[in-house]
Amino acid sequence: MAAQRVPAVKGTRDVLPIDTYKKADDPWVRTGHFHLVEDAARSLFPLYGYREARTPILERTDLFARGIGEVTDIVSKEMYTFDDHDVRVSMRPEGTASLVRAYVEHAVQAAEPDSKWWYLGPMFRRERQQRGRYRQFTQVGVEAFGSPGPRIDAEQIEMLDRWLRALGVPFEMHVNTLGDAACRPKYREALQEFLRARAAELCEECRKRTETNPIRVLDCKNPGCQKVASEAPKMQEFLCDACRAHFDGLREGLARLGVGHVVDARLVRGLDYYTRTAYEAIATSGLGAQSTVAGGGRYDGLVRELGGGDVPGVGFAAGIERLALLAARAGSEKASRPVLFIAPLGPAEEARADELAQRLRAAGIAAEVSFRRSSPGNQLKRADALGARYALVLGEQELASGKARLKELATGAQHDVELDSLEAALRGRP
Ligand code: HAM
């Protein structure tokens, strides 16, 4: 009898190199789709001066409570938290608080007042599982420390726009302003007053939020709450002069850089550290309810809140699973396929095939050898299944003469090659 299987934890997923599952409306995401998304970020972000930082998955719970906000859904309900002897720790639900901690802890401000960082890694939130929403997910994010003005916000949004375009993602860029410590409290009060008067129309959660975090009522998905939200006072009407000038500057910057966007007064974000600029890239098709592929904004008080100096910051993070899903839907994938499949027919040929493959790989050419003995016809079928561009059958005759036929699988064309100069023969071909 087979032993009992151990299933994966709810809300986590495996990403496999092969298609094991296919349904027209929910494409299976393979590692190649992840690579496409990640590699595009890796090559683009450094062009804007972002350099990679890596921080731990485990942090003190207090970092997130103070950084993201005690009353946010993330901190109050969704963190994986446990006691590590005398320290209460959580698995990071996002990257910004951790990066700010590292920035403060290593006194980066003194060495490098303006510093741009990017990061990639798994995040954990105990959310209800849905398509595009997982309990372990991956973010690529960026944080720019040190610049208070709106030009850097616009530069960063333009970078996000360029990245998503390069991936072929259909999206719309939404921007808003959330005010700052000078003007948001007045807005919060006015909003609260308005919401209290309309409490009967709100869902239970939003009646609570009215008291704890009224701004979050604005992005509740419940139709009753949405109606109330659409009639609620808007932050725009309460902005102080400095916040208004920042938002105008951002919009001018975006126009100058040619970034199409919509102003969305209901965009509020689920983390409490934001000031002024908030933005989200929203997929216009292909994702259903979880359509926000990236979100971010400015957090001018966070470095100070976490024990550092008065350093402004602005950043965003994107969900890689969502982007990979869109890439899978678009049929684009970064494939890792062998250039050449070598099929040896006997033991002596096998030894020669192993050496040839070793030599090709050392020269940077992806080569695969067959480990099975079967007919040349079957070997060619296997080469095809692997997606190889060329196949080479190695028999006694080829071994003796040092010459073989390179078969181009897509066209069936054959080329005579010398085994000793296989690298050159493959390099010379497109
Ligand atoms: P966030 O909006 O919470 O922002 O997350 C950013 C992105 O991560 C979302 O737009 C979404 O694509 C993805 N994401 C979030 N939760 C899940 C989930 N449960 N499953 C799959 N994908 C998910 C932040 O985390 C901020 N730290 C962004 C930021 C950086 N703000 C300033 N700097």
Side-chain angles (χ1 to χ4, degrees):
M1 203 176 70
Q4 204 174 13
R5 295 183 187 182
V6 182
V9 171
K10 196 169 171 191
T12 67
R13 3 187 306 134
D14 301 308
V15 185
L16 303 179
I18 52 156
D19 263 349
T20 57
Y21 168 93
K22 241 180 190 160
K23 226 169 50 177
D25 61 341
D26 196 3
W28 183 256
V29 178
R30 289 176 293 215
T31 41
H33 300 111
F34 274 68
H35 280 239
L36 188 81
V37 172
E38 293 168 8
D39 291 352
R42 271 202 182 89
S43 57
L44 181 68
F45 296 177
L47 298 180
Y48 290 74
Y50 289 88
R51 289 166 305 141
E52 190 183 1
R54 299 188 186 197
T55 61
I57 286 170
L58 281 184
E59 296 275 3
R60 288 167 192 265
T61 303
D62 191 41
L63 173 71
F64 302 120
R66 278 168 52 197
I68 300 172
E70 206 85 67
V71 300
T72 57
D73 285 352
I74 296 178
V75 171
S76 65
K77 305 185 209 160
E78 296 172 357
M79 290 207 299
Y80 289 92
T81 297
F82 57 94
D83 289 320
D84 181 18
H85 295 285
D86 53 343
V87 186
R88 200 151 179 75
V89 294
S90 297
M91 287 159 80
R92 61 179 180 196
E94 59 109 46
T96 310
S98 304
L99 265 78
V100 170
R101 178 200 51 72
Y103 179 89
V104 171
E105 192 157 336
H106 302 284
V108 178
Q109 184 186 357
E112 204 177 280
D114 294 306
S115 202
K116 288 169 162 177
W117 300 7
W118 74 268
Y119 54 95
L120 160 71
M123 308 290 162
F124 303 83
R125 296 182 192 174
R126 201 169 188 292
E127 296 197 81
R128 207 160 45 78
Q129 191 184 348
Q130 260 186 21
R131 179 155 163 268
R133 187 163 76 189
Y134 314 105
R135 291 180 173 179
Q136 175 175 337
F137 58 98
T138 319
Q139 282 186 346
V140 164
V142 305
E143 312 295 348
F145 298 106
S147 304
R151 278 177 44 234
I152 194 159
D153 305 17
E155 180 193 79
Q156 193 174 78
I157 295 173
E158 191 268 333
M159 182 175 83
L160 172 60
D161 178 89
R162 185 174 297 270
W163 181 39
L164 299 180
R165 271 174 209 289
L167 295 173
V169 170
F171 72 99
E172 207 166 60
M173 192 70 80
H174 289 223
V175 302
N176 192 19
T177 177
L178 302 175
D180 66 3
C183 54
R184 191 159 50 201
K186 277 187 226 119
Y187 173 61
R188 191 178 186 276
E189 242 170 67
L191 181 64
Q192 208 163 34
E193 210 169 294
F194 171 88
L195 294 172
R196 281 184 187 138
R198 305 279 298 263
E201 296 164 64
L202 299 175
C203 72
E204 199 185 323
E205 188 66 23
C206 283
R207 279 202 290 272
K208 274 192 224 146
R209 284 188 187 130
T210 300
E211 300 311 318
T212 57
N213 202 359
I215 290 170
R216 283 304 303 227
V217 174
L218 298 181
D219 75 345
C220 179
K221 299 281 182 286
N222 181 302
C225 301
Q226 288 199 346
K227 178 164 187 299
V228 175
S230 67
E231 293 159 20
K234 296 190 171 34
M235 183 67 230
Q236 304 263 349
E237 297 152 17
F238 288 78
L239 289 181
C240 60
D241 290 346
C243 285
R244 181 170 306 285
H246 191 96
F247 193 55
D248 290 345
L250 167 68
R251 299 213 53 211
E252 275 164 37
L254 291 175
R256 201 167 47 237
L257 299 175
V259 181
H261 61 278
V262 291
V263 175
D264 178 355
R266 305 236 327 254
L267 193 172
V268 295
R269 312 282 300 129
L271 307 94
D272 277 357
Y273 47 63
Y274 293 109
T275 52
R276 298 188 172 163
T277 307
Y279 61 98
E280 282 183 352
I282 299 179
T284 46
S285 68
L287 278 182
Q290 301 305 317
S291 57
T292 309
V293 289
R298 182 162 276 283
Y299 45 88
D300 289 346
L302 186 59
V303 177
R304 173 166 287 274
E305 174 66 34
L306 294 175
D310 235 335
V311 179
V314 58
F316 72 77
I320 298 305
E321 286 77 7
R322 294 182 190 177
L323 290 174
L325 211 67
L326 291 170
R329 185 165 284 276
S332 37
E333 181 185 1
K334 191 138 185 168
S336 75
R337 306 257 184 243
V339 174
L340 176 65
F341 182 83
I342 309 174
L345 298 181
E349 293 88 339
E350 281 172 354
R352 182 83 165 109
D354 293 349
E355 285 162 16
L356 281 172
Q358 183 192 34
R359 236 177 53 207
L360 291 173
R361 292 165 187 154
I365 297 170
E368 184 64 281
V369 285
S370 176
F371 295 109
R372 293 203 189 145
R373 294 245 173 98
S374 66
S375 68
N378 275 339
Q379 299 279 21
L380 287 178
K381 270 192 207 142
R382 195 163 133 60
D384 231 4
L386 279 172
R389 199 153 356 131
Y390 300 100
L392 189 139
V393 175
L394 213 54
E396 264 175 44
Q397 200 193 329
E398 285 79 12
L399 215 58
S401 66
K403 291 195 173 86
R405 293 216 138 151
L406 197 61
K407 181 167 177 167
E408 206 168 327
L409 289 158
T411 60
Q414 311 239 24
H415 313 278
D416 288 326
V417 290
E418 303 264 347
L419 292 180
D420 282 341
S421 53
L422 208 46
E423 294 98 315
L426 288 166
R427 279 253 170 67
R429 303 189 174 282

